[in-house]
Amino acid sequence: MIRTVESPPPVSAPVLAAYGYCETVTGQQARNFAYGIRLLPTAKRRAMSALYAFSRRVDDIGDGALDGEIKSARLEDTRALLTRVRAGEVEEDDTDPVAVALAHAAKAFPIPLGGLDELIDGVLMDVRGETYETWDDLKTYCRCVAGAIGRLSLGVFGTEPGARGGDRAPEYADTLGLALQLTNILRDVREDAAGGRTYLPADDLAKFGCSAGFDGPQPPEGSDFAGLVHFEVRRARALFAEGYRLLPLLDRRSGACVAAMAGIYRRLLDRIERDPEAVLRGRVSLPGREKAYVAVRGLSGLDTRHVSRLAGRRQL
Ligand SMILES: CC(C)=CCC/C(C)=C/CC/C(C)=C/COP(=O)(O)OP(=O)(O)O
């Protein structure tokens, strides 16, 4: 069962500084997720920033310019650090602020830290240059790099006591992570291709004549690129619909955080659906004012009430 911890332990000056570092990383680098994280009360916001900063570090190793062997070794160093966090071996005066903040967050909230091992496993798949034959194969990767983040975040949020169906919350959080990751893969298709990576399943690419890959602002000749994008958008929408069942299980501000994160990505998906080739021309993004609007909407509980109504009418 997932507990909500009401009063986290008091925060010492070194831990406060460590959280401050993680919040700066989050504010500067989480161009989309920071809007949701900001809506949380202090202790949860700090814990989410610690999770973000650790995940960012893992991701940056994967995306960096080093060669594969060095990346793998660095990822294993990060795993060793995680083992120290889990064993309670990271002291408050450790020189690594991300480790200090994560260790504190893991004491304050029941965060299933094994999810960070999964994230490292997923980034190692990237480093090995794995490609995916089918959606089931890609799903395994997405569970590691995004489903796990959903389940870790749920450890911070907790579920509302007595919420009906609360035991399914980890499954919904995982599915929401998949929805976000598939959207991210569609958005970054050109950038990933430039970096030599293809995430979309080979059998989908073949079905729409896109096996030649995406190396320019135009779709591969003779392909049905828009058909491919619309097919993946439908898949992502179904994942969003399932993952949104998480919202009524959360307290108001955690629900607002998730609604903001998911809402911003859903709007990215809308834009991609309207103009599929935009993802080949550059990075599709939302203006800051639109992200702020989605965050305010999340806080007003509109999305949560909408999902509850649909569930009540058995339309979800
Ligand atoms: C329950 C819950 C909270 C579920 C959501 C889980 C979650 C936040 C998954 C993240 C997956 C994802 C698309 C990461 C990309 O980060 P990025 O830094 O590359 O994103 P950006 O490029 O859009 O800034």
Side-chain angles (χ1 to χ4, degrees):
M1 197 187 94
I2 294 154
R3 292 178 287 130
T4 306
V5 177
E6 299 297 346
S7 42
V11 180
S12 66
V15 172
L16 204 57
Y19 276 133
Y21 174 86
C22 294
E23 291 202 74
T24 303
V25 170
T26 305
Q28 287 175 351
Q29 302 201 38
R31 284 161 299 192
N32 292 306
F33 300 131
Y35 284 84
I37 293 174
R38 267 189 225 119
L39 301 177
L40 293 167
T42 307
K44 291 186 180 186
R45 192 186 67 237
R46 288 177 178 155
M48 284 295 286
S49 301
L51 280 177
Y52 182 85
F54 188 92
S55 307
R56 181 80 274 149
R57 180 181 291 180
V58 172
D59 236 46
D60 286 348
I61 297 172
D63 289 343
L66 300 168
D67 73 50
E69 260 176 51
I70 300 177
K71 284 184 183 180
S72 302
R74 296 232 167 132
L75 288 168
E76 291 309 338
D77 289 346
T78 312
R79 201 194 293 281
L81 176 63
L82 187 58
T83 306
R84 285 182 50 224
V85 168
R86 214 185 271 124
E89 288 170 10
V90 174
E91 303 289 341
E92 290 191 354
D93 60 357
D94 195 284
T95 52
D96 182 343
V98 177
V100 172
L102 187 62
H104 187 274
K107 280 188 201 128
F109 296 99
I111 301 173
L113 286 180
L116 290 173
D117 277 305
E118 290 179 63
L119 173 66
I120 294 171
D121 293 339
V123 173
L124 280 166
M125 291 166 85
D126 274 339
V127 171
R128 289 195 296 269
E130 286 190 21
T131 51
Y132 307 97
E133 208 52 44
T134 64
W135 164 236
D136 267 355
D137 298 335
L138 176 61
K139 227 172 7 182
T140 303
Y141 166 77
C142 292
R143 285 234 148 81
C144 287
V145 297
I149 306 292
R151 285 175 270 123
L152 287 154
S153 306
L154 182 63
V156 175
F157 300 147
T159 50
E160 280 288 76
R164 254 183 61 207
D167 54 332
R168 297 194 67 185
E171 183 193 320
Y172 299 146
D174 186 275
T175 303
L176 206 49
L178 296 189
L180 264 55
Q181 190 62 30
L182 183 55
T183 305
N184 186 280
I185 286 171
L186 281 175
R187 184 197 66 184
D188 294 347
V189 80
R190 168 87 193 272
E191 190 180 314
D192 290 332
R197 289 192 197 152
T198 306
Y199 292 103
L200 289 173
D203 62 1
D204 295 348
L205 294 173
K207 215 178 317 170
F208 293 96
C210 292
S211 302
F214 314 109
D215 52 6
Q218 303 293 334
E221 221 179 295
S223 69
D224 178 10
F225 181 72
L228 171 71
V229 170
H230 287 143
F231 177 77
E232 303 297 348
V233 165
R234 274 197 298 282
R235 178 174 270 157
R237 284 199 193 292
L239 293 166
F240 271 114
E242 180 69 8
Y244 262 67
R245 290 170 183 253
L246 179 64
L247 287 181
L249 306 177
L250 304 177
D251 66 69
R252 191 177 82 90
R253 285 172 72 181
S254 299
C257 171
V258 174
M261 286 175 168
I264 288 171
Y265 258 63
R266 245 178 32 159
R267 280 171 181 249
L268 283 178
L269 201 62
D270 292 342
R271 285 185 176 226
I272 293 170
E273 184 178 40
R274 281 199 297 272
D275 181 5
E277 288 186 23
V279 298
L280 298 176
R281 295 192 296 268
R283 178 179 279 225
V284 176
S285 62
L286 301 186
R289 63 176 186 286
E290 190 171 345
K291 293 192 252 193
Y293 165 77
V294 177
V296 170
R297 201 186 137 88
L299 206 52
S300 71
L302 276 173
D303 297 315
T304 306
R305 286 200 292 278
H306 179 65
V307 175
S308 300
R309 269 200 304 276
L310 289 181
R313 285 193 245 131
R314 300 193 185 284
Q315 281 177 271
L316 255 185

